[in-house]
Amino acid sequence: MNLTYRNKIPDITKGKLKTGIIALDLDDTLLRDDLSISDYTVSVLRRKAEQGTFITMCSGRPADSILPYVRRLDLAGLKTGRFLISQNGTSILDLHLRTEIYSRMADVEMLVETTRIMLDRGMTVEVCDASTIYVPVLNAQTEKDAQLSGLKLQYIPDFENFLKRGFSKMVIPGDPEELLVLQQILKDKFGEKCSVFTSKPYYLEIQSAGAGKGEALMWLAEYLNLEPETVMAFGDSMNDETMMKLAPLSVAMVNGIDAIKQVARFVTEYSNNEDGVARFIETYTV
């Protein structure tokens, strides 16, 4: 096997990997750059699900923005395709029961203070639920984000009071260099209370500490009574970091950022545009 090992895992280095669940980030991981999924990838994932491996999309997107890709894979009708992890791991949906089985909300005061900081700098922020992006300022960036995600966009005049409804995370769109400065400002202000990272160079996200994709994935594996060593996850960006650290079979995309490749157990040989996820699964799993 021509795998790139980051850490040696007992008992799997001599043969193919056994999987109980496979978590898939979407953008730049499962999805090609044009946001499509190839027929080949669909067939590989469908076969794994039919063999008994849970296939779970695990994205920073809200649920309604993920569902078109769930339908593309045609897995929701299977027991092994019934779960969906959204909002960077702060929500898990059971699509069969049509209910949320896991939820982690962000601290309201943290979101209020973040909003004040960004508005004072002439920037905007975004929070969302399953179907709608809510903003205190409408601009070209928020319009673009709504269009790309397929969600509705709503301006909220009294935004600070609106935040008391409770939201899992906040997104700050902006210039990549400025966002790196703001990332440190937020870390210094909130300390261990928050998890703040760039999901893409032009998106800074803040949520409560310990509420990431990795924590949600490992919770779901325990909920399903799966052996921890059969948990596999694919990702490419910093919002995938906890998956790469906590999933015993973590796989970074070769097109991913270096920081994620360094903490993942494996790195794919092919990019998201070359069916990297499907090729890895077909080559290296039982």
Side-chain angles (χ1 to χ4, degrees):
M1 297 174 66
N2 185 25
L3 290 176
T4 303
Y5 286 95
R6 297 301 176 187
N7 293 308
K8 188 175 181 180
I9 303 176
D11 300 327
I12 67 167
T13 58
K14 296 180 181 179
K16 290 195 173 186
L17 310 176
K18 179 181 177 182
T19 56
I21 186 169
I22 298 175
L24 303 167
D25 172 56
L26 287 182
D27 297 286
D28 299 317
T29 299
L30 179 66
L31 304 184
R32 296 181 288 197
D33 289 351
D34 63 0
L35 304 183
S36 66
I37 305 173
S38 74
D39 291 343
Y40 166 68
T41 290
V42 170
S43 67
V44 170
L45 294 176
R46 178 82 187 186
R47 184 163 61 251
K48 289 297 293 185
E50 290 172 345
Q51 291 171 349
T53 294
F54 284 86
I55 304 296
T56 304
M57 293 191 185
C58 189
S59 174
R61 296 174 180 233
D64 280 12
S65 185
I66 302 172
L67 288 175
Y69 302 108
V70 173
R71 289 191 285 270
R72 168 65 175 132
L73 296 183
D74 192 26
L75 295 178
L78 300 176
K79 174 185 176 182
T80 48
R82 68 188 290 179
F83 298 103
L84 176 64
I85 302 175
S86 64
Q87 300 273 45
N88 280 335
T90 58
S91 175
I92 302 177
L93 295 179
D94 183 328
L95 299 175
H96 287 194
L97 298 178
R98 298 185 179 181
T99 189
E100 187 176 54
I101 61 171
Y102 173 98
S103 177
R104 297 291 183 270
M105 289 295 174
D107 178 81
V108 173
E109 287 306 312
M110 181 176 72
L111 298 186
V112 169
E113 285 298 313
T114 299
T115 299
R116 290 173 180 171
I117 291 170
M118 299 309 151
L119 292 181
D120 285 345
R121 298 177 75 100
M123 301 175 66
T124 192
V125 297
E126 302 173 355
V127 294
C128 65
D129 55 25
S131 63
T132 305
I133 297 173
Y134 303 97
V135 297
V137 175
L138 290 167
N139 60 25
Q141 182 65 59
T142 58
E143 294 281 355
K144 180 180 178 182
D145 292 345
Q147 183 178 20
L148 288 174
S149 66
L151 301 178
K152 294 178 287 185
L153 180 64
Q154 185 173 342
Y155 163 67
I156 304 295
D158 188 4
F159 196 74
E160 288 189 13
N161 190 57
F162 179 72
L163 290 173
K164 295 177 183 178
R165 287 180 46 177
F167 293 92
S168 59
K169 67 169 187 172
M170 178 171 280
V171 177
I172 305 153
D175 175 76
E177 291 187 7
E178 186 174 11
L179 292 182
L180 289 177
V181 174
L182 290 169
Q183 181 177 19
Q184 192 58 53
I185 290 174
L186 295 177
K187 284 183 176 180
D188 291 342
K189 183 172 184 62
F190 299 117
E192 296 182 358
K193 183 178 180 179
C194 79
S195 175
V196 56
F197 49 83
T198 51
S199 54
K200 296 292 175 225
Y202 40 85
Y203 290 128
L204 186 65
E205 306 201 18
I206 185 168
Q207 58 194 59
S208 293
K213 290 185 179 183
E215 290 88 349
L217 174 58
M218 298 312 293
W219 182 93
L220 180 58
E222 183 176 1
Y223 177 81
L224 296 172
N225 294 314
L226 300 175
E227 295 295 330
E229 62 268 22
T230 66
V231 177
M232 178 174 281
F234 288 83
D236 72 286
S237 297
M238 290 310 296
N239 63 332
D240 302 312
E241 183 179 21
T242 56
M243 282 205 302
M244 298 299 101
K245 289 182 174 179
L246 296 178
L249 304 179
S250 58
V251 188
M253 301 302 295
V254 70
N255 56 280
I257 63 174
D258 288 342
I260 289 301
K261 294 178 191 176
Q262 289 167 6
V263 296
R265 274 56 170 181
F266 313 110
V267 177
T268 65
E269 296 164 301
Y270 298 92
S271 73
N272 64 309
N273 287 317
E274 302 168 310
D275 297 306
V277 167
R279 288 173 181 262
F280 186 96
I281 290 171
E282 190 163 55
T283 304
Y284 297 122
T285 70
V286 177

